[in-house]
Amino acid sequence: MFLDNPSSWIKDIFINSGIGQDLSSALTLLSMAGVVALLSWLSNLIAKAIILRVVTRIVKKSSSKYDDVFLEYKVFTKLSHFAPVLVIWFLAGWAFKAYPVWFIVVHKVTYIYLVLIGMLVMNSFIDAWHAIYNMLPISQHRHIKGYVQLVKIIVYLIAGLIVVSVIFKKEVSTLVAGLGAMAAVLILVFKDTLLGL
């Protein structure tokens, strides 16, 4: 019964203890949030332990020097942040089944956090590949720092659009169209300045 409807089970315990209906609902919500937070924290500890011990040991034993770069730029460490947020994402429906408003809020916040973590991982990944490229002989004659910065800006822009679309309930395509129209207007307004450059 607990696994099927945990909030109802916990709420009945509070009510049977003589606690009022409203206070029981509030305490149940806090209890379910505490359970999810605890499981999320445990998953974070496990993920970091696996990465810091297992992955680091494998990388150090590897003969390749490229995986050391990914370890140096903390790509694997940042990937571990996906574990707790995914736990919250998948447990939200189970924990907050009786609280649809809170379920929506938790899902939105979790989704935004997922996007931000993805952005950080992508940035570390790009920096690591740039560092690997700089280790190659070709990097002495052909620099790609400008391209790297451009890719980072694109990653930031995509992450920003997704976050805004989640907060304001707008389609990403609508936001892109709006940004395109705004960019066209700015180009027309500052045409002479741009041509002067």
Side-chain angles (χ1 to χ4, degrees):
M1 184 179 178
F2 176 77
L3 293 177
D4 293 333
N5 197 351
S7 57
S8 177
W9 187 79
I10 293 174
K11 187 176 180 180
D12 288 341
I13 292 176
F14 286 127
I15 291 174
N16 293 333
S17 300
I19 300 173
Q21 186 81 17
D22 293 338
L23 184 57
S24 293
S25 295
L27 290 173
T28 301
L29 179 61
L30 289 174
S31 299
M32 294 310 302
V35 170
V36 174
L38 177 62
L39 293 174
S40 174
W41 177 72
L42 288 173
S43 68
N44 187 39
L45 287 181
I46 293 169
K48 283 186 176 178
I50 291 172
I51 288 174
L52 290 176
R53 294 181 184 178
V54 179
V55 176
T56 302
R57 190 178 302 167
I58 293 172
V59 170
K60 294 296 183 184
K61 288 183 177 179
S62 172
S63 58
S64 173
K65 57 185 177 182
Y66 297 140
D67 49 10
D68 292 325
V69 176
F70 286 99
L71 192 64
E72 180 186 346
Y73 280 87
K74 298 183 178 179
V75 176
F76 302 114
T77 304
K78 288 177 182 177
L79 277 171
S80 69
H81 293 296
F82 277 113
V85 75
L86 285 173
V87 168
I88 296 173
W89 176 267
F90 287 113
L91 288 182
W94 170 77
F96 304 110
K97 185 186 292 185
Y99 305 91
V101 175
W102 281 102
F103 168 73
I104 293 171
V105 171
V106 170
H107 246 220
K108 278 193 173 185
V109 172
T110 306
Y111 189 81
I112 291 170
Y113 189 51
L114 269 171
V115 172
L116 295 177
I117 292 172
M119 182 186 71
L120 292 175
V121 171
M122 281 297 298
N123 278 339
S124 295
F125 188 78
I126 292 167
D127 286 336
W129 273 112
H130 188 208
I132 290 172
Y133 177 81
N134 288 333
M135 295 164 65
L136 303 174
I138 193 175
S139 64
Q140 302 299 320
H141 310 288
R142 186 172 296 176
H143 301 286
I144 61 169
K145 187 175 181 181
Y147 297 108
V148 170
Q149 290 175 340
L150 178 61
V151 172
K152 281 187 171 184
I153 290 172
I154 293 172
V155 171
Y156 287 134
L157 183 61
I158 292 172
L161 286 173
I162 294 173
V163 169
V164 171
S165 70
V166 171
I167 294 174
F168 296 102
K169 297 181 181 179
K170 297 288 183 181
E171 293 291 335
V172 176
S173 57
T174 304
L175 294 173
V176 171
L179 286 174
M182 186 172 65
V185 171
L186 289 173
I187 289 172
L188 287 173
V189 171
F190 297 103
K191 180 177 66 175
D192 295 335
T193 304
L194 292 172
L195 289 173
L197 293 173

